[in-house]
């Protein structure tokens, strides 16, 4: 999806316009959107939402033990991501 390049451009925008709250807000929203898109793509392949949520939780709780390059489970956003993933599970089970 080109998320890496979008994040680089967003970081550059934030560095240049560090004084503008909109630059910080935009970067946060783009990061959250990239995580949501990544979760949806992973769930299309895995199709086991509770297991994927558990992996996110495990990754976030052991974040300091993993390499610095692994940023898929930032503790600041993992709660909302897990709630969204599990809420989709509940909705799907009610529809079936």
């Amino acid at each position: 999806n080109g998320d890496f390049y979008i994040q680089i451009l967003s970081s550059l925008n934030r560095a240049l316009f560090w004084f503008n709250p909109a630059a910080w807000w935009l970067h946060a929203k783009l990061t959250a959107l990239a995580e949501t898109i990544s979760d949806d793509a992973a769930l299309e392949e895995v199709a086991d939402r509770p297991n994927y949520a558990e992996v996110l939780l495990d990754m976030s709780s052991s974040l300091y033990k993993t390499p610095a390059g692994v940023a898929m489970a930032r503790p600041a956003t993992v709660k909302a991501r897990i709630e969204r993933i599990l809420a989709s599970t509940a909705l799907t089970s009610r529809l079936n």
Side-chain angles (χ1 to χ4, degrees), residues 49-70:
R49 291 176 180 274
N51 189 31
Y52 182 70
E54 187 175 334
V55 168
L56 280 177
L57 185 59
D58 289 344
M59 291 287 294
S60 69
S61 63
S62 66
L63 189 62
Y64 296 106
K65 299 173 191 163
T66 58
V70 179

Side-chain angles (χ1 to χ4, degrees), residues 8-69:
I8 289 175
L9 290 174
S10 176
S11 294
L12 180 61
N13 179 55
R14 192 175 53 167
L16 292 174
F17 299 104
W18 58 267
F19 53 87
N20 188 340
W24 292 85
W25 177 84
L26 178 65
H27 183 75
K29 291 300 176 185
L30 287 172
T31 301
L33 184 59
E35 289 175 344
T36 300
I37 291 170
S38 296
D39 287 342
D40 291 344
L43 288 169
E44 285 180 9
E45 297 296 322
V46 175
D48 185 4
R49 291 176 180 274
N51 189 31
Y52 182 70
E54 187 175 334
V55 168
L56 280 177
L57 185 59
D58 289 344
M59 291 287 294
S60 69
S61 63
S62 66
L63 189 62
Y64 296 106
K65 299 173 191 163
T66 58

